[in-house]
Amino acid sequence: MNSEEVKLVQESFAKVAPISEAAAQIFYDRLFEVAPQVKAMFPDDMSEQRKKLMATLAVVVGGLGNLQSILPAASALAKRHVAYGAKPAHYPVVGGALLWTLEKGLGEAWTPDVAAAWTSAYGTLSGYMISEAYGTVQAAE
């Protein structure tokens, strides 16, 4: 990721942060709509899960300018997700739901440049997480 992409991701996330509860609800609703099979990996009461999602995103987005600072946490998260049943093929589904949520939440502020920056950020981190969790970089299908 280049510095302009980092700036676009951080500035756009700052616009989503005030509506983080609604954004998390929209994200999980979308995820379960497009991949209903993953719902079983989550608790019935999603309130804490939604808070964890937004807190994790805040840490990751805040650390994008110094990627090395967030990689240990991303590695640990990826390894925990294996125990929950996550597979490499889930990563692009989650990414799609995240980008869709951001597009809905940002409205006109979701520009092609912002979309590209988020796509780059998610691709970078999900590729790293897949590598950490499964031992090799695998093409997510």
Side-chain angles (χ1 to χ4, degrees):
M1 290 191 70
N2 64 44
S3 61
E4 183 59 27
E5 289 172 324
V6 169
K7 180 181 173 192
L8 287 170
V9 168
Q10 290 175 337
E11 287 176 350
S12 60
F13 187 73
K15 295 174 185 172
V16 173
I19 59 161
S20 63
E21 191 172 315
Q25 180 72 49
I26 292 166
F27 167 79
Y28 283 111
D29 287 351
R30 179 66 176 178
L31 179 62
F32 298 153
E33 177 186 329
V34 299
Q37 70 278 12
V38 303
K39 190 164 177 46
M41 295 181 202
F42 293 90
D44 291 335
D45 180 357
M46 291 290 293
S47 55
E48 284 303 310
Q49 183 65 36
R50 288 190 293 268
K51 289 177 188 172
K52 287 179 187 178
L53 169 71
M54 296 312 291
T56 299
L57 281 173
V59 168
V60 168
V61 167
L64 286 177
N66 179 9
L67 203 53
Q68 295 301 316
S69 70
I70 59 174
L71 292 181
S75 175
L77 181 64
K79 291 170 185 171
R80 280 195 311 274
H81 277 79
V82 172
Y84 305 144
K87 306 279 186 234
H90 292 135
Y91 282 80
V93 176
V94 168
L98 176 63
L99 296 176
W100 186 89
T101 300
L102 291 164
E103 180 180 3
K104 298 302 173 205
L106 290 169
E108 290 182 7
W110 183 254
T111 65
D113 287 344
V114 170
W118 274 97
T119 300
S120 176
Y122 187 79
T124 298
L125 284 167
S126 66
Y128 175 77
M129 290 174 71
I130 290 168
S131 173
E132 288 293 294
Y134 303 98
T136 61
V137 177
Q138 297 184 16
E141 299 173 15

